[in-house]
Amino acid sequence: MRHFLAQVGFLVVNLWLLFHLFSIVVGPASVSPSSETIHRGWELSRHYLQAMYLNHGWHFFSPQPGGATLLRFEMTAQNGETTDFTFPQRAIEPRLLYHRYFMVSEFFGGLPEDSQRIWAEAFARKMFLQDNAQHVRITKIFHDLPTPEWVLAGGHLDDPELFEETIIGEFDRHDFPQEGQ
């Protein structure tokens, strides 16, 4: 009996390993464009992958990734001096920190407009406290990816047509009296 249970256990573990490996391969392969067979495999393994949290990053690196979201902050100090910077800044080191900041701006870009406004107010409050700003303007910059046809036709990654700017909010220090006192 003991020998039989060991064989059943061995078989169950091996079947689970085969299913796990199948799921790990079919998950990223199911990102469009892909075949109907791969989609059926995804349907078979998707609940397992979601339960094990193994499907979280594939669409970011899929064949059709989206554009990038950046934030531009323009601050005016009491003396009238204006400072502006884009977040995240490419020169941030170590590079892992840049990627973490980039994920913050991507998260921001994916929020509904009313939530973006709330986050922008929080950023402005921080600037009023930390940088002694008097006026803050926050702009969301969406940088769309060029198509292969665009590049073949001579387009460049930094062409202005690929950028869409939206002012999220303009804030004055007197709008937040607790920060000004």
Side-chain angles (χ1 to χ4, degrees):
M1 181 69 168
R2 182 183 279 169
H3 180 68
F4 174 75
L5 290 177
Q7 286 181 335
V8 169
F10 180 78
L11 180 64
V12 168
V13 168
N14 279 296
L15 288 174
W16 172 78
L17 279 172
L18 285 172
F19 180 73
H20 179 80
L21 291 173
F22 166 79
S23 299
I24 294 298
V25 169
V26 84
S30 70
V31 176
S32 293
S34 61
S35 72
E36 185 63 33
T37 303
I38 296 293
H39 282 287
R40 286 189 195 129
W42 165 250
E43 287 300 320
L44 181 67
S45 64
R46 73 183 169 106
H47 296 294
Y48 171 75
L49 289 169
Q50 289 169 345
M52 300 296 284
Y53 194 60
L54 295 172
N55 66 336
H56 59 286
W58 298 326
H59 292 277
F60 182 77
F61 297 103
S62 69
Q64 302 282 335
T69 301
L70 304 170
L71 299 173
R72 179 183 303 128
F73 296 92
E74 300 170 55
M75 299 181 295
T76 305
Q78 274 184 331
N79 63 3
E81 183 179 323
T82 302
T83 306
D84 68 359
F85 64 93
T86 302
F87 177 85
Q89 297 173 340
R90 297 178 89 190
I92 294 173
E93 292 291 336
R95 199 69 180 153
L96 180 59
L97 185 58
Y98 168 81
H99 288 286
R100 287 181 178 174
Y101 286 163
F102 184 72
M103 290 295 105
V104 169
S105 67
E106 286 298 302
F107 170 77
F108 183 91
L111 291 172
E113 286 184 26
D114 58 335
S115 296
Q116 287 180 4
R117 174 77 181 185
I118 292 168
W119 275 69
E121 286 179 13
F123 286 137
R125 279 192 171 98
K126 181 172 177 13
M127 291 176 193
F128 294 142
L129 288 171
Q130 182 176 328
D131 301 315
N132 201 26
Q134 296 302 307
H135 180 81
V136 174
R137 175 190 290 168
I138 301 174
T139 305
K140 178 176 71 171
I141 304 167
F142 178 73
H143 182 202
D144 202 7
L145 292 177
T147 62
E149 296 79 20
W150 175 279
V151 174
L152 290 172
H156 296 280
L157 189 59
D158 58 354
D159 283 343
E161 296 86 17
L162 297 175
F163 292 86
E164 179 184 327
E165 295 190 16
T166 306
I167 296 174
I168 300 301
E170 292 198 47
F171 308 96
D172 287 309
R173 186 179 202 97
H174 63 77
D175 293 336
F176 302 94
Q178 66 275 16
E179 280 83 0
Q181 300 173 356

